[in-house]
Amino acid sequence: YENYQGRDPEDQQSPEYMIVMTTLDSSKYYARDINLKDGLAEKYREGQVLTEKAFVDATDRIGGLATTHRYLILSNRMKDISEFEHGTNWNLHVTNRNSRFRVLDVYEKNEKTQILLLQLPDGFDQVFENKISIIKEAIDDARALFDRCLEEEPIEDVSTPEWLKR
C-alpha cells in the first residue's frame, strides 16, 4: 500500500481508516477449537502476519469450549459451504489457501486461550499495523465473547472428534 507512512490512522476521513472500518463492519466471527500442544500457543504474538497455505475451515456456531484453545477468526471472506455438508451440522465456512491473517490478540483466562485472527484483505497489510480505536473495540468484543463462552456449554456438533480432527 503506497503512501501510507505518516498518515494519522485515527483520521476517520482517511482512506486507511475507511478500509479498516469497512473490513471490520463487514466481518463476522468464526471459530476453530483445538487442543494445541504445549508451547505452541506462546508462538502467537500480537501483530504477527501469518499465511495459511491450506484452506481454512471454521464454524460460525460459537459456544462453550470443549478444548484448551480457540482460534477466533474475524473475516469477511469466509464462504458458507454448509449446503455441502452431509450428516453434519457444523455450519461449515472456508477461506482460500494462502489467506493472510494478523494476530490481533492472544487472550488467556481460566486455563483457556483465545487467539484472535483478522483475515487481511489482499494488498492492505500495512493498513492494519496500527491498533486504532476500532481495532481495539473489535478486540474488546472478542474478549467479551470469549468470557461468555467460558460460561456456556460446548455446542455438541462442533465438539465431536470428527470436527476437532479437521
Side-chain angles (χ1 to χ4, degrees):
Y1 185 76
E2 295 178 12
N3 301 321
Y4 177 68
Q5 304 300 341
R7 295 190 189 185
D8 179 7
E10 290 287 352
D11 177 3
Q12 295 183 8
Q13 302 303 312
S14 72
E16 295 82 8
Y17 189 92
M18 295 298 218
I19 291 166
V20 173
M21 185 184 70
T22 301
T23 300
L24 293 178
D25 281 350
S26 62
S27 291
K28 181 177 173 180
Y29 290 118
Y30 302 89
R32 280 301 315 201
D33 292 350
I34 188 169
N35 291 310
L36 290 176
K37 293 179 181 174
D38 290 341
L40 191 55
E42 290 79 28
K43 293 184 183 234
Y44 289 92
R45 297 280 180 234
E46 185 180 307
Q48 279 180 313
V49 175
L50 312 168
T51 301
E52 178 52 55
K53 300 291 184 192
F55 291 99
V56 175
D57 59 0
T59 182
D60 62 357
R61 298 185 67 199
I62 302 172
L65 276 82
T67 61
T68 57
H69 297 82
R70 168 169 286 165
Y71 292 108
L72 188 66
I73 303 167
L74 187 55
S75 174
N76 63 1
R77 305 181 79 191
M78 298 286 268
K79 303 296 183 225
D80 182 353
I81 61 169
S82 59
E83 68 183 86
F84 301 109
E85 290 182 50
H86 299 289
T88 60
N89 190 18
W90 295 333
N91 209 23
L92 186 60
H93 290 71
V94 68
T95 191
N96 288 332
R97 296 180 314 177
N98 297 315
S99 292
R100 295 176 56 77
F101 300 90
R102 179 171 296 278
V103 178
L104 293 184
D105 189 44
V106 179
Y107 180 51
E108 297 179 37
K109 187 172 182 180
N110 298 344
E111 299 180 15
K112 306 276 186 175
T113 303
Q114 175 176 270
I115 301 165
L116 178 60
L117 303 172
L118 172 66
Q119 186 174 9
L120 296 169
D122 294 336
F124 290 99
D125 293 13
Q126 285 183 307
V127 173
F128 293 88
E129 286 179 353
N130 296 306
K131 192 185 275 188
I132 61 174
S133 57
I134 56 176
I135 291 178
K136 290 176 186 173
E137 289 172 23
I139 292 168
D140 290 344
D141 291 345
R143 285 183 172 201
L145 173 60
F146 189 67
D147 290 345
R148 285 192 306 272
C149 288
L150 291 175
E151 303 299 321
E152 297 176 5
E153 291 296 317
I155 298 171
E156 188 174 325
D157 293 319
V158 290
S159 299
T160 64
E162 182 182 16
W163 170 255
L164 295 175
K165 185 178 178 185
R166 291 179 63 85

